[in-house]
Structure formats: C-alpha cells, structure tokens
Amino acid sequence: CSADDKVQIAKEKVRIGFIGTGSRGQYHLNNLKTIPYADVVALCDNYPPHLKEASALYPKAKTYDDYRICIMCLRNPAR
C-alpha cells in the first residue's frame, strides 16, 4: 500500500458481527478493543450471561440470541 492508501484505510472502519461471546469470544472481543478501525456492531449468543457481559464491552452493538437472525440483519441493515 502507498502512504495515501494507508491514510484512506485508517479512516475507514470494519463493521463486525460477533457470534459466540463465551470465554474465547470475550478474549477476541477484548483484543478488538485495541484495533481502532474495528467496529463491533452485533453480538450473538444463546447464553444470556455471556451476551450481557459482551454487551457491557460494546454497548452500542445490537444483540441477538439466534445467529440466523443476526446474520440476516447484518446482510440487510434496514431490518
């Protein structure tokens, strides 16, 4: 990448939907906090305590308890 490309890339964010927020998921979610261009927009887990804990890390992220609905909504943000 050229220097100009790197500047442009730094201005953009990657939107991430995260499925599975248990111990391994929490590890990755914590690491994503250190990446300035990573934007976690959705969290999904069928175990409410894990989802609640992940939601505390990313309060702006939408939460789902069914991965199929999560994926459908991420594919069609108007939903």
Side-chain angles (χ1 to χ4, degrees), residues 1 8 22 33 45 58-59 67 72:
C1 288
Q8 181 60 32
K33 284 281 204 195
D45 203 303
Y58 294 94
Y67 74 92
M72 183 177 62

Side-chain angles (χ1 to χ4, degrees), residues 29-73:
L29 288 168
N30 280 309
N31 285 333
L32 285 171
K33 284 281 204 195
T34 66
I35 302 172
Y37 52 85
D39 187 16
V40 176
V41 297
L43 299 164
C44 181
D45 203 303
N46 62 354
Y47 186 62
H50 289 165
L51 191 56
K52 184 178 179 182
E53 192 174 343
S55 185
L57 285 172
Y58 294 94
K60 293 182 181 179
K62 291 184 180 180
T63 58
Y64 302 90
D65 61 5
D66 185 328
Y67 74 92
R68 294 166 290 220
I69 295 172
C70 179
I71 291 170
M72 183 177 62
C73 290

